Amino acid sequence: MHKKFIFSDLRAFCNLLQASLFVAVASYISGGSALYGGSPLHTFNEWADLYFDGNASASWDSNIFRDEEDEESDLKYILSPGLELNLGRGLSAYDMTIRTSYDFIRYQENDHLDAENFHISTSGVYRGSRLDLSGRLGYDENQITSGEDTAQRSIIETEDVNGKIDGEYRLSPKFSFGAGAHYYDRDYITGGRDELADWNHLRFPFDLFYKYTPKVDLSAGYTYKTGAVEDYHRGDTLIEGYDTTSHFINVGARGSFFPKLSGFFKVGYRTHDSDDSFEIRNGERTRSNRGSGSDGQIGLDSGLTWNPTLKTTHNLILKRDFGVGGEGTVTEVSRHRLNSSYSLNPRWSASSILGYTLRDYQANGGANRNREDNLYLLGLSLNYTAPDYWRFSGGYRYQDYDSNRRGYSFVSHNFYLTAQFRY
């Protein structure tokens, strides 16, 4: 793999200084009087508050196209003004938050990659004597350079729609029942090339909880998942889509397990079934090799928080599930991430990220046969929280994407500065 660290030239150093100035000026202009007051932009009687939320960031990346052989660096600026409306304010059983923001993305050298991305979401909760409900609905436009979905020498834009509703009903002091519905839809915006496979899934989790101790619940659950991978083109070949189903039978626990350890985990067996997929070229229809058939693996879903001291927090996320590659291939995905933070004092804190993701492609032929991708992630940041809802951060992120498919490995180094503000 071609690996080189690009930050030795004077021009890159000057660019980062320019980025610092951009963040400071954009924060001042967009934040207005936030430095002198943290009250809402507008209050509606006693039940709703409207805030201005936004951030400005500048980041330098050593390999913006995630290219193994020909790395190209650039400086990217993002200005994201937004609004947040809080309804309820904890004064009733209902609370709802509506957020929207608009990203202005500008590259210093590759201005053909400039974009504007829109985001909007609404989330809410209901707390009753026996029934608790929570829900979220969101729409996001993003740029992706993750490696899995990136075409050569290009940055992919996506439109994501996601929604979920979860409920829990307390049957008795010892037993409760939980159920939900989760939806996700991804569309790739590739400028009419149609070279990546859109996909969606709908998930229905069911769980029975038993209060084992006052602080710990045991669970037994089942999740049914149905999904679809859409058609796309590879050159003059039409790759037809297919439907999938998945089942996850699990046991687990949630709550405060020890005085300094809390969270949840589910472990069990997960199956995945795919319909047949076909390719059409020159009028001839043949079977595709994108992982059709049945498969099974140990499934895992967990999130644990450990607080060894009053100033230190570690969050461990472990997941093992089936996924979809950019070309519509079924993948087995294992994700491990450790997020840590340390509070230096009430204003200053430091944080880190350690992550590893393994994608094992289930294709039975073609370029993705026996393909495995390993993503290693390291991040370090220093954060400062100013009075009245200001927050500044700067840091470094390293990614090493190691694939046994030729041309899909890469290494990137990223330095960033961010200012977040709320008024």
Side-chain angles (χ1 to χ4, degrees):
M1 188 192 313
H2 180 59
K3 302 180 179 180
K4 60 179 180 178
F5 184 81
I6 310 175
F7 197 62
S8 58
D9 58 297
L10 179 61
R11 182 180 182 183
F13 179 72
C14 294
N15 286 343
L16 193 59
L17 292 180
Q18 180 182 353
S20 304
L21 180 62
F22 163 80
V23 170
V25 173
S27 300
Y28 178 79
I29 294 174
S30 301
S33 59
L35 183 62
Y36 305 104
S39 60
L41 185 66
H42 187 74
T43 297
F44 304 88
N45 297 323
E46 297 181 352
W47 55 273
D49 293 323
L50 179 66
Y51 290 90
F52 174 85
D53 274 328
N55 67 72
S57 68
S59 64
W60 179 87
D61 199 303
S62 68
N63 191 0
I64 62 171
F65 293 116
R66 305 307 189 239
D67 195 299
E68 182 175 14
E69 301 296 338
D70 186 15
E71 297 182 1
E72 181 175 345
S73 63
D74 204 347
L75 190 64
K76 178 173 68 174
Y77 305 95
I78 303 178
L79 183 63
S80 301
L83 293 173
E84 177 181 314
L85 178 63
N86 294 329
L87 306 173
R89 302 175 61 187
L91 301 178
S92 67
Y94 304 90
D95 282 300
M96 179 178 292
T97 300
I98 302 173
R99 296 184 178 92
T100 183
S101 63
Y102 198 84
D103 301 337
F104 297 90
I105 303 173
R106 298 294 182 265
Y107 289 81
Q108 182 162 294
E109 301 293 339
N110 295 271
D111 55 7
H112 63 285
L113 302 177
D114 293 351
E116 287 82 38
N117 291 335
F118 176 66
H119 310 271
I120 188 169
S121 67
T122 178
S123 59
V125 296
Y126 165 79
R127 296 173 292 270
S129 59
R130 283 180 172 262
L131 177 64
D132 293 338
L133 293 173
S134 64
R136 185 186 188 279
L137 180 64
Y139 170 83
D140 294 285
E141 297 175 346
N142 292 297
Q143 287 186 333
I144 284 187
T145 54
S146 66
E148 178 189 18
D149 304 313
T150 300
Q152 295 292 312
R153 307 297 298 174
S154 66
I155 291 181
I156 303 301
E157 296 184 356
T158 66
E159 292 181 355
D160 296 338
V161 176
N162 61 88
K164 61 185 297 185
I165 182 169
D166 291 293
E168 184 172 337
Y169 183 78
R170 287 173 285 278
L171 302 169
S172 70
K174 285 287 189 179
F175 288 94
S176 61
F177 174 76
H182 306 168
Y183 176 75
Y184 198 98
D185 180 278
R186 165 157 291 182
D187 290 338
Y188 292 98
I189 311 303
T190 56
R193 297 192 307 272
D194 193 24
E195 296 172 346
L196 296 172
D198 301 339
W199 55 270
N200 62 74
H201 68 242
L202 183 59
R203 189 192 309 259
F204 299 97
F206 303 91
D207 294 284
L208 180 64
F209 299 99
Y210 170 71
K211 187 167 288 297
Y212 181 66
T213 71
K215 294 184 177 181
V216 176
D217 296 338
L218 302 180
S219 68
Y222 165 74
T223 299
Y224 172 76
K225 176 182 172 183
T226 179
V229 178
E230 305 296 334
D231 300 347
Y232 79 102
H233 288 84
R234 185 176 62 216
D236 58 357
T237 302
L238 171 64
I239 314 296
E240 292 187 343
Y242 59 93
D243 296 330
T244 67
T245 57
S246 177
H247 307 271
F248 180 37
I249 301 174
N250 61 83
V251 294
R254 67 179 184 180
S256 181
F257 306 113
F258 300 103
K260 297 181 179 181
L261 180 66
S262 61
F264 77 96
F265 70 87
K266 295 180 181 180
V267 61
Y269 190 73
R270 198 186 303 268
T271 65
H272 184 275
D273 298 291
S274 302
D275 292 343
D276 292 336
S277 175
F278 294 89
E279 302 179 2
I280 300 178
R281 183 177 183 181
N282 298 326
E284 182 178 354
R285 189 169 185 257
T286 59
R287 189 181 299 275
S288 176
N289 53 34
R290 296 193 293 171
S292 300
S294 301
D295 199 1
Q297 65 175 3
I298 299 298
L300 179 63
D301 186 10
S302 68
L304 300 172
T305 300
W306 180 41
N307 298 102
T309 69
L310 293 176
K311 292 186 174 184
T312 306
T313 300
H314 301 288
N315 295 303
L316 179 63
I317 300 172
L318 303 172
K319 293 183 181 293
R320 184 168 170 81
D321 199 350
F322 290 95
V324 180
E327 296 171 313
T329 305
V330 175
T331 60
E332 292 181 359
V333 183
S334 300
R335 289 187 175 92
H336 316 282
R337 178 169 291 193
L338 177 64
N339 300 320
S340 301
S341 63
Y342 179 74
S343 177
L344 303 173
N345 57 49
R347 297 295 182 201
W348 289 93
S349 65
S351 59
S352 66
I353 298 175
L354 285 173
Y356 170 71
T357 301
L358 169 65
R359 294 185 178 93
D360 187 0
Y361 286 71
Q362 302 302 294
N364 50 30
N368 285 324
R369 183 179 183 181
N370 299 323
R371 176 182 172 183
E372 285 189 1
D373 293 358
N374 298 272
L375 173 62
Y376 305 90
L377 173 65
L378 168 65
L380 302 170
S381 68
L382 184 64
N383 314 295
Y384 174 73
T385 302
D388 301 323
Y389 307 106
W390 278 75
R391 181 179 173 88
F392 302 90
S393 62
Y396 165 74
R397 177 168 292 195
Y398 167 80
Q399 290 186 83
D400 185 344
Y401 200 94
D402 185 11
S403 176
N404 59 8
R405 180 175 175 180
R406 181 177 176 82
Y408 279 76
S409 300
F410 68 85
V411 170
S412 72
H413 305 270
N414 178 266
F415 292 88
Y416 64 90
L417 296 166
T418 300
Q420 298 173 300
F421 34 81
R422 175 184 175 91
Y423 174 66

